Amino acid sequence: MLIRQRRIPVKEILLYGFLPNFLKKLVYRIKGYKLGRNVCIGFGSVICGDSVRVGDHTSLGFFSIVRGRSITIGSDVSIGSMTFIDTPRVEIGDGSRINEQVFIGGLQNPDSSFVLGRNCQIMQMSFINPAISVVIGDDTGIGGHCLIFGHTSWLSKFEGYPVEFLPIQIGKSVSLAWGVFVLPGTRIGDGATIGANSLVNRTIPERCLAVGFPARVVSKYPEFPRAVSESEKEGMLREIVAEMISYLSKSGVTCRGGESDYTLEIERTRFWSCRKDSWRLKVEYRKCEDGAMLKDIDGVDVFLSLSEIPATARSYLNARRIVWIDIERKEQSLFRNDLGEEVAQYLKRYGVRLFRAEC
């Protein structure tokens, strides 16, 4: 064979994989890798590439491998344990998550690429083959056990069997349920939802529901997704906040207050010491002017707003190191604290995934 490709980078794992995180990062920086702050590369995990950039607060679980010529991983990215990414060009956007035991690789060419947008999630046990390219837009979710294949080739083309190597494009805010099979050449439009165990082998328009084998559109806008009134949104947020407070209370957090202003406390034990941490959460359910929106904001640690937070209000909150969450624009502050991360994580249950924004 002229070209030999090792399936597993055994040499790199033995040389770097078992080093402590700080030593591993030191070696990688000496090699010329650009690593951000608070990067965590788990036990047995390695990154192998010619050009490597990893953003702040990104983590790899144990025994995960990322290999390619050009690797760009954004900030706040999480790659689960025993995940294998092996593609010449890899791009993963800020805030995205790839769960455990995901395989991205297989039969490819030297220019193959895998591009995952911001705030995406790929659930466990999915297999993705970017034979030419797989491009996944921002805020898209790929369910577990999904199969995304950029090629079909086994039986001989000279005997009349189809052999295809085609790119796959999945748009922004797309939802693939568990067990979806995507074939070469597929294009899925922004905001589309693909039902469980469907096979997609064609172009799916934006903002629709497609199910079946092969998948066919069964509902589209304005029936799917349906329009939601402002009063309905307010009611939804009130229910979600009440449910979240109940969840935190049952998880050992002391919660006081109600409606739109809460104080939360938790005791934390570390070695021989015990301390009590306290946060204040303020919720704004209605759209209002800057002045009214920021009323009684002193002492608040997290500000959660259903409507858009104006730029001037964001600047005010940033100056006071208050974590803000804007549901309408799906954005949150760069500054973070434990309560803000908990609220953002809880909102994900309801499909609200937040992009980090300066202002």
Side-chain angles (χ1 to χ4, degrees), residues 73-93:
I73 302 175
S75 300
D76 297 289
V77 172
S78 174
I79 298 175
S81 301
M82 301 181 72
T83 284
F84 192 5
I85 303 174
D86 183 15
T87 302
R89 184 167 73 93
V90 178
E91 292 185 16
I92 301 174

Side-chain angles (χ1 to χ4, degrees), residues 20-312:
N21 183 52
F22 75 95
L23 277 181
K24 194 182 299 185
K25 291 193 293 183
L26 176 62
V27 171
Y28 282 155
R29 288 187 172 112
I30 292 171
K31 286 169 62 71
Y33 293 7
K34 308 297 183 183
L35 304 182
R37 294 176 292 111
N38 298 322
V39 171
C40 181
I41 304 173
F43 180 79
S45 294
V46 293
I47 303 174
C48 312
D50 298 330
S51 172
V52 177
R53 292 180 177 271
V54 181
D56 300 340
H57 306 288
T58 286
S59 65
L60 274 73
F62 65 86
F63 287 108
S64 287
I65 297 167
V66 181
R67 180 168 63 183
R69 289 199 310 273
S70 173
I71 300 170
T72 303
I73 302 175
S75 300
D76 297 289
V77 172
S78 174
I79 298 175
S81 301
M82 301 181 72
T83 284
F84 192 5
I85 303 174
D86 183 15
T87 302
R89 184 167 73 93
V90 178
E91 292 185 16
I92 301 174
D94 297 345
S96 288
R97 179 181 178 87
I98 300 176
N99 282 14
E100 296 77 15
Q101 299 183 66
V102 172
F103 184 90
I104 301 171
L107 184 59
Q108 300 172 71
N109 66 53
D111 299 319
S112 295
S113 62
F114 172 72
V115 179
L116 183 67
R118 298 190 300 155
N119 271 30
C120 297
Q121 182 156 1
I122 301 175
M123 302 295 283
Q124 55 268 24
M125 305 295 290
S126 288
F127 184 102
I128 299 175
N129 166 236
I132 301 297
S133 69
V134 171
V135 178
I136 300 173
D138 298 344
D139 199 31
T140 285
I142 309 296
H145 294 267
C146 284
L147 302 172
I148 301 175
F149 271 82
H151 80 279
T152 55
S153 62
W154 184 254
L155 299 175
S156 174
K157 187 179 182 70
F158 295 98
E159 295 175 7
Y161 294 101
V163 175
E164 295 179 312
F165 294 83
L166 296 171
I168 292 172
Q169 185 168 340
I170 300 173
K172 299 178 180 179
S173 299
V174 171
S175 173
L176 268 62
W178 283 55
V180 172
F181 199 132
V182 178
L183 291 179
T186 293
R187 297 174 64 91
I188 301 176
D190 297 347
T193 294
I194 310 298
N197 296 319
S198 296
L199 181 143
V200 189
N201 63 347
R202 64 186 70 190
T203 297
I204 301 295
E206 63 182 23
R207 294 172 69 82
C208 71
L209 171 64
V211 298
F213 200 94
R216 288 180 170 82
V217 175
V218 297
S219 185
K220 57 185 178 180
Y221 187 79
E223 287 76 26
F224 184 92
R226 71 175 184 86
V228 182
S229 68
E230 294 301 320
S231 60
E232 285 180 304
K233 292 178 183 179
E234 181 181 335
M236 290 175 185
L237 182 57
R238 290 184 184 276
E239 289 180 4
I240 290 170
V241 169
E243 184 185 274
M244 179 181 68
I245 294 299
S246 175
Y247 167 82
L248 293 173
S249 298
K250 293 176 181 177
S251 301
V253 180
T254 302
C255 303
R256 296 194 302 271
E259 188 67 19
S260 62
D261 203 324
Y262 299 89
T263 300
L264 300 96
E265 296 179 344
I266 186 171
E267 289 189 356
R268 291 177 168 173
T269 303
R270 181 173 295 176
F271 300 111
W272 56 84
S273 64
C274 181
R275 72 176 190 184
K276 182 179 287 187
D277 290 330
S278 177
W279 299 272
R280 184 179 165 204
L281 168 67
K282 183 175 174 60
V283 186
E284 186 59 65
Y285 296 101
R286 298 185 180 90
K287 190 171 184 178
C288 52
E289 300 299 326
D290 289 10
M293 179 175 281
L294 300 176
K295 185 179 179 181
D296 299 326
I297 204 69
D298 291 338
V300 168
D301 297 288
V302 177
F303 180 71
L304 172 63
S305 176
L306 176 61
S307 62
E308 180 180 346
I309 303 174
T312 52

